[in-house]
Amino acid sequence: MTSVCKRWLCLLTALCLLALCACGQEASVPETDEPVPAEEVTPTPEPIMPDGPVDGDGIYDCFARAMTAVIPEVTLDVSKMTWEYGAENDLRNIYYTVLSDRPELKYTYDIQSTVTDGTAVCAFSYMPYKTGAYAAGIPEGSIPLDSLRAVMDAAQSMNGTAGRLSIAITNPDLSVESIQYALAQAGYGWICYDLSRDGTEILAGSSVGMTMEDCAAGIQESFTLGQAVVEELVSEDMAAREMAWVLYDYIARNVSYDFRYYSDRANMPYESTVALGALRDGLAICGGYAQAYQTLLDLAGIENYTVSGVSQGEYHMWNYVIIDGTGYYCDPTAQRGGGDSRFLKTAEELDAIGGYEWDRDRWPYSGL
């Protein structure tokens, strides 16, 4: 058993994992008596706001500029505005429109506005990781997270325990969307993780109407089965590319497609949509193929993510695998029966195959 395999098995045992989180928090403190200098935060120059009256488009523009610069409050002359649903409601709706158009600004999690005598005072609330609030230190009881991999590990430490985990995101370059996507990856289709509104907690709950304990048991069984596959096929002298291939080939050759998805979906078991169906029953749809490959790669210590998109006009899931610092796409569902035509393909090569549509701007995640 490789050391990486052992680490992942430990991660999926709830009590052990929670202990590991605590240990990790202690280990993050340098063993020195010297004070740790606070990280310097370079303030963003405040944008110039208009002196005269603004209309709806002007408010939108001012909000977008203020949120980009993480300005806590703006004062605007709205004396010429005609309100549709009331001043405060319309200002909040403009704020929501900015977030919809500019999702990278979602670290701005709230706005409070007051309008008096034609003057609007709008105060924004920001997730602390974007304001430099942690430069003076991490709040007691919070786990510092500086990468998407750390976000996923922290979420997985909650497997089997419903509720919330206090965190402190310390990397201001991480986008809220990428954090939320990493959290969606962490539950392996069983557990739903989400970032709290203010970005200081990970929230956990069952995504399939089961108890958290049952969901954790399903993940654990998948990893136990996957562990046996990795021990059989992977050796420590293998390069990452070879490990990725033997695990891909195993899934493609040993898992059949569960066509009840088309003919009898009401009686198709949930396990066919996740790794357990592929690894235990040898039967799965695309989600089961992709998450089974994700599970095996995780156990082998190869960075990877699942990709959701469209293939041949219908919903599909496949994999994104990091090999020697370069990202590639793999589609074990399309490869069922054997072959390598969908193994470690670039985005351009998938385009040449045809039929794939996905949010390619999301990739790569390697290094975050």
Side-chain angles (χ1 to χ4, degrees), residues 292-344:
Y293 192 38
Q294 175 193 22
T295 298
L296 297 181
L297 291 171
D298 283 346
L299 286 165
I302 297 175
E303 182 182 1
N304 73 100
Y305 304 91
T306 57
V307 181
S308 295
V310 173
S311 177
Q312 307 304 324
E314 67 177 15
Y315 170 80
H316 192 51
M317 182 181 286
W318 60 101
N319 302 84
Y320 184 77
V321 184
I322 312 296
I323 302 292
D324 298 328
T326 301
Y328 301 94
Y329 296 92
C330 299
D331 188 354
T333 309
Q335 204 71 71
R336 58 186 184 274
D340 63 357
S341 64
R342 310 294 172 94
F343 175 68
L344 297 189

Side-chain angles (χ1 to χ4, degrees), residues 47-50 58 60-71 102:
I48 298 174
M49 295 296 171
Y60 177 103
D61 181 61
C62 291
F63 279 7
R65 285 187 286 150
M67 292 156 66
T68 300
V70 196
I71 294 174
R102 301 276 303 277

Side-chain angles (χ1 to χ4, degrees), residues 8-18 21 152-163 165 183 185-193 202-205 211-221 223:
W8 272 101
L9 283 179
C10 289
L11 277 173
L12 292 168
T13 304
L15 293 177
C16 291
L17 290 171
L18 290 172
C21 280
M152 293 174 67
D153 288 347
Q156 288 168 338
S157 77
M158 302 168 68
N159 285 351
T161 58
L165 181 69
L183 289 172
Q185 299 267 323
Y188 293 99
W190 292 89
I191 296 175
C192 180
Y193 296 106
I202 295 175
L203 311 178
T211 67
M212 288 288 286
E213 290 76 12
D214 287 341
C215 290
I219 297 173
Q220 181 65 65
E221 185 176 358
F223 270 74

Side-chain angles (χ1 to χ4, degrees), residues 158-239:
M158 302 168 68
N159 285 351
T161 58
R164 52 218 308 144
L165 181 69
S166 295
I167 60 170
I169 301 165
T170 59
N171 184 347
D173 293 330
L174 296 181
S175 72
V176 174
E177 281 201 310
S178 68
I179 293 168
Q180 290 174 328
Y181 194 81
L183 289 172
Q185 299 267 323
Y188 293 99
W190 292 89
I191 296 175
C192 180
Y193 296 106
D194 200 3
L195 189 65
S196 68
R197 188 162 171 263
D198 65 357
T200 64
E201 293 179 304
I202 295 175
L203 311 178
S206 168
S207 62
V208 293
M210 302 179 187
T211 67
M212 288 288 286
E213 290 76 12
D214 287 341
C215 290
I219 297 173
Q220 181 65 65
E221 185 176 358
S222 299
F223 270 74
T224 299
L225 294 167
Q227 168 81 22
V229 173
V230 171
E231 287 185 342
E232 178 183 352
L233 299 178
V234 172
S235 60
E236 292 187 353
D237 61 346
M238 283 184 175

